[in-house]
Amino acid sequence: MSANLLSIADLGAEGIEELLRLTDSFVEVSERPIPKVPALRGRTVASLFYEESTRTRLSFEAAAKRLSADTMSFSVATASVAKGESLRDTVVTIEAMGVDAVVVRHASAGVPWQVARWVGASVVNAGDGCHEHPTQGLLDCYTLRQRLGSLRDRRIAIVGDVRHSRVARSDVLAYTALGAHVTLVAPPTLLPPSLEGWPVEVSHDLDGVLRKVDAVEVLRLQHERQIEALVPSLREYTATYGLTRDRARLLADDAVIMHPGPMNRGVEIAAEVADQSRSVVTRQVANGVAVRMAVLFLLLGSGSIR
Amino acid sequence: MVRGGTVLDQLGRRPADVVVTDGVVAAVGQGLQAPGGARILDAGGCLVSPGLVDLHTHLRQPGMEEAETVESGGRAAALGGYTAVVAMPNTDPPIDCASVVRDVLELAAASRWQVFPAGAITRERAGERLAPMAEMAALGVRLFTDDGAGVQDSRLMRRALEYASGLGVTLAQHCEEAGLAAGGHLHEGAWSSRLGIPGTPAEAEELMLARDLTLSRLTGAPMHFLHLSTAGSVALVRSAKAAGLAVTAEAAPHHFTLTSACAASYDPVFKVNPPLRDAPDVDAVKLGLADGTLDAIATDHAPHPQEAKELPFDQAPPGMLGLETALALALTELDLTVEEVLALLSWRPAGIAGLEGDHGGPVAEGRPANLCVIDPAATWVVEPDRLASRSRNTPYAGRRLTGRVRHTVVRGEPVVIDGEAQR
């Protein structure tokens, strides 16, 4: 593993496996009465969030704290960005304060790559525009493995706004690296213009796909205004691509239902479906902390986690 | 006196010395005597060509002097072998009336570089009302364009073509259908999809090109097409020329040397408009340059300050430097003879710009001495910090190229000697 985590593609199957194994240990740590280890004592992790995201930021900060790292938090609303400071100046300034890792979230694809060129600290991509969200990809793999065991030859459907989804891009790379068969299900307007090089199948028939899969991942409809231009209406979207109660009955009893959150209940997923025992939405969040502990530990740690 | 080289122009190739007096070629021939007190430029092993002519330079003045000025851009041009450049009108204010044309001409005169402003087709380049083309044409403007954007309104474009034909000037289009291109920052395709960056489809360029070819047929007015970048565009121009339309077209060096895969680094230095396309487009552009479908190589030299190119990819402005690397890229990357490359860089663009009286050769007695002495075998490495432009946004940093400008002579003045700018 390099000193950065920018893309799932950098990890390969072996890197993913290593992180998932490490996550097991941190899940165990999280279940202790005092869920904390001294592994990153004296290290500093800065979170640099140029886009609102409560859950990912809290998850990274919880992960850093459980590893005993110091944390610094930088959010757009209160920051020098509002005073016109450039991205480069901001990250160089933060690095000058002595940080070992920078966790970056930005609405523009590629910003973590730019940041990595400017700083020597480790850079973790916490979501860049419509590109990638590698720790989400890892925690989705981890969560699925808890339910399904190995992902090899498992069939997974990813449903919804793949075009704008960084989760989908990371998940496709991660699931297929672990040997799963992925089917993207969406209207053509919500798929990327080209799927050249993507090891996936595509379907526009959600009912048919649901009957055959081991897991279905429902994507959030992210940009409601954009979506309105890409599908005739949210109502029609829900009718054709929403995981409604009726449609969820087509799934096998032991199929897994996932959603990266936050959910638009009643739009891409029915409230009752999200709350079914087959749904692992809350489990995804819990695993997120352990996965991010594994990532930070692997990037910054040198010793044993015990 | 340029001594010991091989003159190469539209008349062919011949070993000859060139004697220049008072800014004019006084003699061309072998074994000429240098006049008393003459400065001798050694051209041994070199080609002596008419100076290059760039149809597409953004000099950024007035308004964006941090990025480039007429002075700095003129120097960069001279180092690249250019003796004349056409300055695009998307300045601030835009070159859309006589007074701004006069401003740029004054800057050019003060800098003593040969800069020829293009005028805007519409006021403020807003695509709504015709700019006063006659008053600009009266000051010598031969080429009009809203470059940076295409004229979207078909009726307005038709009127512009009709009006221009009465002035004997040429309209040049930046082909980009705004609706289809909206929100794009990269060529739409495998890379934009993978990288999560919204793309601009090739068809956004081809759609406007096809419309304009139709309008050129309707009005009988000649047109020039800027920076064509797709295989479809090359095919459209090829068939339009076969049908006898009076159209010309150019391609930029980055469109025959780089592809959209460069954006995988997310470095905005690779962001340009039209965007870098895919390998089949690169091949088609090369073929178009080889078979005469594309008439000229034009740089689309587009300087931007460092901070602008450190924005996120989707916020950074499009554009790349080009003046100091175009000739070497063409010599290195195109499967063409030097004669063919120079035709694309010198005499053909001179004709399109209406500058053939003074620029683009031939190298003959009585002609203005605008010359470029090229060492076709010299290799060099592009170093951004050594460029004369005020900006550094070259996508070719570290690239090894073959072919180098040794001397440039503008109106008899040696402005570049042994690769060094003299002013």
Side-chain angles (χ1 to χ4, degrees):
Chain A
M1 190 169 176
S2 67
N4 302 318
L5 176 58
L6 302 178
S7 164
I8 290 286
D10 301 339
L11 295 172
E14 272 180 35
I16 295 171
E17 295 282 4
E18 183 184 5
L19 275 162
L20 297 185
R21 275 195 304 276
L22 202 52
T23 301
D24 273 332
S25 321
F26 288 116
V27 166
E28 184 266 314
V29 168
S30 299
E31 286 162 358
R32 292 179 190 175
I34 300 172
K36 194 157 177 161
V37 288
L40 295 186
R41 201 158 54 195
R43 302 303 199 100
T44 302
V45 177
S47 53
L48 187 58
F49 275 58
Y50 281 86
E51 191 184 61
E52 281 310 313
S53 154
T54 312
R55 61 176 62 210
T56 303
R57 182 153 106 199
L58 289 179
S59 181
F60 267 107
E61 287 176 7
K65 284 177 173 150
R66 286 180 191 181
L67 293 167
S68 303
D70 296 319
T71 57
M72 283 168 45
S73 185
F74 174 101
S75 70
V76 172
T78 55
S80 43
V81 172
K83 300 173 191 165
E85 186 173 60
S86 75
L87 179 64
R88 181 173 186 160
D89 285 340
T90 302
V91 299
V92 168
T93 301
I94 286 177
E95 187 178 44
M97 294 173 191
V99 303
D100 301 289
V102 187
V103 178
V104 185
R105 159 71 61 97
H106 201 288
S108 295
V111 164
W113 276 256
Q114 293 175 289
V115 172
R117 279 197 283 273
W118 298 327
V119 301
S122 289
V123 178
V124 181
N125 181 0
D128 64 320
C130 303
H131 181 221
E132 273 215 55
H133 192 353
T135 56
Q136 181 77 39
L138 291 167
L139 76 88
D140 286 342
C141 285
Y142 190 81
T143 307
L144 273 177
R145 288 235 294 218
Q146 283 182 320
R147 282 291 177 102
L148 300 176
S150 166
L151 296 194
R152 180 148 301 282
D153 292 329
R154 293 293 192 168
R155 283 167 297 188
I156 305 171
I158 300 178
V159 183
D161 183 10
V162 177
R163 177 187 280 256
H164 299 109
S165 176
R166 52 191 170 220
V167 175
R169 283 178 179 74
S170 286
D171 279 349
V172 165
L173 290 169
Y175 296 160
T176 56
L178 297 181
H181 302 292
V182 173
T183 304
L184 305 179
V185 189
T189 48
L190 292 184
L191 289 170
S194 165
L195 288 170
E196 190 187 324
W198 294 44
V200 298
E201 288 176 36
V202 172
S203 170
H204 309 300
D205 170 23
L206 181 55
D207 289 1
V209 169
L210 289 178
R211 290 190 179 93
K212 293 184 286 193
V213 294
D214 300 298
V216 55
E217 168 142 24
V218 183
L219 298 174
R220 174 180 166 77
L221 277 189
Q222 301 217 13
H223 309 279
E224 288 201 9
R225 236 182 257 149
Q226 268 178 306
I227 297 304
E228 290 285 9
L230 294 170
V231 298
S233 68
L234 287 183
R235 182 178 157 173
E236 178 156 309
Y237 178 81
T238 304
T240 43
Y241 291 96
L243 191 58
T244 58
R245 277 180 289 177
D246 286 346
R247 227 175 240 132
R249 287 192 199 102
L250 301 172
L251 282 166
D253 290 342
D254 56 353
V256 183
I257 297 169
M258 308 174 77
H259 190 298
M263 291 184 282
N264 299 305
R265 289 175 184 253
V267 181
E268 69 265 6
I269 189 167
E272 293 83 349
V273 175
D275 296 335
Q276 286 177 3
S277 61
R278 294 183 292 186
S279 159
V280 293
V281 175
T282 313
R283 177 75 71 107
Q284 287 173 275
V285 177
N287 288 336
V289 177
V291 161
R292 290 174 179 120
M293 289 172 78
V295 168
L296 292 173
F297 178 78
L298 209 55
L299 290 174
L300 300 180
S302 48
S304 142
I305 57 164
R306 313 217 176 249
Chain B
M1 178 177 190
V2 180
R3 189 155 72 186
T6 300
V7 170
L8 196 159
D9 60 14
Q10 52 270 63
L11 303 178
R13 185 190 275 256
R14 55 213 178 269
D17 303 327
V18 180
V19 176
V20 173
T21 312
D22 296 332
V24 174
V25 174
V28 181
Q30 276 185 282
L32 295 179
Q33 261 322 335
R39 181 172 211 165
I40 309 289
L41 298 182
D42 174 29
C46 292
L47 301 168
V48 182
S49 160
L52 312 186
V53 175
D54 191 22
L55 288 169
H56 200 140
T57 305
H58 296 274
L59 289 177
R60 301 298 189 216
Q61 201 175 8
M64 290 160 273
E65 289 82 357
E66 269 310 295
E68 198 77 284
T69 61
V70 170
E71 174 68 35
S72 65
R75 186 176 303 111
L79 285 162
Y82 290 92
T83 56
V85 301
V86 176
M88 289 292 111
N90 62 335
T91 47
D92 183 18
I95 307 174
D96 67 349
C97 62
S99 65
V100 186
V101 171
R102 272 192 213 98
D103 288 347
V104 176
L105 289 174
E106 273 173 29
L107 290 165
S111 74
R112 293 181 291 133
W113 300 117
Q114 296 281 297
V115 171
F116 300 90
I121 296 172
T122 67
R123 289 172 195 256
E124 300 284 332
R125 298 174 48 252
E128 289 165 7
R129 288 188 303 153
L130 291 181
M133 285 191 265
E135 69 175 36
M136 292 190 270
L139 294 170
V141 176
R142 315 308 301 161
L143 216 55
F144 289 84
T145 176
D146 278 3
D147 182 53
V151 177
Q152 302 297 320
D153 183 324
S154 302
R155 190 169 67 159
L156 181 66
M157 192 60 204
R158 175 192 180 173
R159 296 291 175 240
L161 284 165
E162 288 171 343
Y163 192 73
S165 65
L167 300 170
V169 300
T170 301
L171 299 195
Q173 189 75 284
H174 165 120
C175 292
E176 181 179 1
E177 204 280 319
L180 203 53
H185 302 284
L186 187 64
H187 172 60
E188 182 178 292
W191 280 104
S192 71
S193 297
R194 202 171 308 169
L195 297 173
I197 296 176
T200 303
E203 287 74 8
E205 175 175 309
E206 294 155 9
L207 201 54
M208 185 169 283
L209 173 59
R211 180 202 71 175
D212 282 0
L213 292 170
T214 307
L215 292 177
S216 179
R217 185 182 301 122
L218 173 68
T219 60
M223 277 197 81
H224 177 68
F225 296 102
L226 304 169
H227 48 45
L228 294 184
S229 64
T230 77
S233 291
V234 176
L236 282 167
V237 172
R238 188 175 286 126
S239 58
K241 285 187 168 183
L245 289 184
V247 296
T248 54
E250 66 184 40
H254 43 268
H255 287 130
F256 61 77
T257 54
L258 303 171
T259 66
S260 62
C262 292
S265 66
Y266 286 104
D267 187 338
V269 79
F270 296 109
K271 182 173 176 178
V272 64
N273 188 18
L276 300 178
R277 305 288 185 182
D278 289 336
D281 301 299
V282 168
D283 292 342
V285 168
K286 285 182 173 176
L287 186 60
L289 289 167
D291 73 7
T293 302
L294 302 175
D295 303 88
I297 296 168
T299 65
D300 197 4
H301 179 83
H304 289 290
Q306 179 181 321
E307 65 272 16
K309 284 293 190 181
E310 288 180 347
L311 290 166
F313 199 95
D314 59 2
Q315 294 169 27
M320 309 174 159
L321 299 184
L323 286 169
E324 295 173 71
T325 48
L327 170 67
L329 285 164
L331 290 171
T332 308
E333 301 288 345
L334 295 175
D335 195 18
L336 298 178
T337 64
V338 186
E339 285 89 336
E340 290 167 324
V341 166
L342 290 172
L344 290 163
L345 283 163
S346 178
W347 42 97
R348 288 211 211 115
I352 293 167
L355 298 174
E356 64 274 22
D358 287 344
H359 292 274
V363 181
E365 196 182 318
R367 295 272 309 175
N370 293 307
L371 304 170
C372 167
V373 179
I374 301 160
D375 183 345
T379 62
W380 59 292
V381 174
V382 181
E383 294 174 61
D385 289 340
R386 298 198 60 188
L387 298 177
S389 170
R390 286 175 67 81
S391 295
R392 293 287 168 265
N393 55 307
T394 173
Y396 300 108
R399 188 139 163 170
R400 179 170 290 278
L401 300 175
T402 302
R404 182 142 216 202
V405 173
R406 187 183 285 184
H407 317 300
T408 305
V409 176
V410 175
R411 291 188 163 272
E413 179 192 356
V415 292
V416 174
I417 299 176
D418 289 326
E420 300 290 335
Q422 301 301 299
R423 59 176 169 93

